[in-house]
Structure formats: structure tokens, C-alpha cells
Amino acid sequence: MKKEDARQHIQQHLEPGDFLVGFFQAIQPFKWWLFLFIGPLAVLSMKYYFVAVTRKGITFHRINLMGKFAGQDTFVFSDIKSVKIGKGMLQRPMTFRFNNGRKLHLKGQLKGVEKVAKIDAETQRFIEDNVRTEK
């Protein structure tokens, strides 16, 4: 999906009075243990997201295998316990920990063709300023 289409969808689903800081495409990789059971079909368990960072919080827009939006989960910054942001050359690994004990491992897109939404320094800095970061 092109980033212009994603931006339009994200802005349509913002809460009134909220402002979009930035967004990027991310992937939740498949689990290696699943690969041992079903082999190459484990790649079908990968999940794709557009992560929208706003002034109030973070929204995870899920994308289905056909490239269409399948749903969204919105979290205010107080619902996110911590985030761990790693380093990478093509993708930036991130682990979000929520107050309810849930964890979400994502790899945010750093490099790619122009039509792919990538994480920029301003968006990453805004996440780090509003959520406690782990080392």
C-alpha cells in the first residue's frame, strides 16, 4: 500500500482534536518455533502494521494479506509501560510493553523505495520522549 493512501486512511481515523506526528510501516515477524511445526507456511503468520504516532498516543493499524486495513488498536501513552528501540540497517526492531502485560515485537521500516512509509528521526524521538525507554 502506498504511503499516501495510508496517510489518508490514518487521518480519517484520528480522534477529533488529535494531530498526526508521523507514521511508518512495520512488520511483526513470524515465530521461529512455528517454523519447526509447519515449515515455510510460518511466514503466513507474519502481521503487517501501519503505526501512527499522534499527540495523544500510538495507533496500530493492522493490514491483511490483501493489503487492506483490517482493524486498529489505539493506546494512549499512559497505557504503554515501556518501549525498547534497537538499531538496524533496513529495519528498526521495537518492543512495546503495555500495562496489561502484553508485548508487541515489531520491525519498523528504515529504508526502502519512496512509496513505503519509513520511520523518521522526529517520529522516533517523539515516541522516546513520551514513553519510558528500555536499554
Side-chain angles (χ1 to χ4, degrees):
M1 174 176 291
K2 294 181 182 178
K3 67 180 174 182
E4 294 84 19
D5 298 336
R7 179 185 303 273
Q8 182 181 12
H9 176 81
I10 290 168
Q11 287 180 337
Q12 287 175 354
H13 289 86
L14 285 178
E15 292 182 16
D18 206 357
F19 177 73
L20 182 66
V21 174
F23 71 100
F24 57 94
Q25 190 170 346
I27 187 170
Q28 182 181 16
F30 66 91
K31 295 169 180 53
W32 286 101
W33 62 267
L34 192 58
F35 185 78
L36 297 174
F37 290 114
I38 61 175
L41 294 176
V43 298
L44 296 175
S45 69
M46 294 174 30
K47 295 179 184 170
Y48 298 90
Y49 293 92
F50 274 103
V51 180
V53 180
T54 65
R55 296 276 182 202
K56 295 181 181 179
I58 299 177
T59 303
F60 300 95
H61 295 270
R62 287 184 307 281
I63 302 172
N64 62 18
L65 289 175
M66 303 305 282
K68 305 293 181 193
F69 286 98
Q72 67 184 33
D73 294 320
T74 303
F75 298 93
V76 294
F77 288 119
S78 61
D79 289 342
I80 304 171
K81 184 177 182 180
S82 65
V83 64
K84 181 178 181 181
I85 301 176
K87 298 182 188 247
M89 294 178 75
L90 299 176
Q91 294 177 327
R92 176 143 302 152
M94 301 177 179
T95 303
F96 291 92
R97 294 182 191 274
F98 300 96
N99 290 336
N100 62 4
R102 180 179 168 209
K103 283 194 280 188
L104 180 62
H105 302 287
L106 295 176
K107 292 187 177 185
Q109 195 68 35
L110 266 177
K111 307 259 187 213
V113 295
E114 184 61 32
K115 67 179 184 174
V116 174
K118 298 173 273 300
I119 187 168
D120 58 359
E122 178 186 345
T123 305
Q124 180 178 340
R125 187 173 54 251
F126 194 83
I127 293 171
E128 291 171 343
D129 289 345
N130 289 292
V131 179
R132 186 177 69 85
T133 56
E134 295 179 11
K135 297 292 178 183

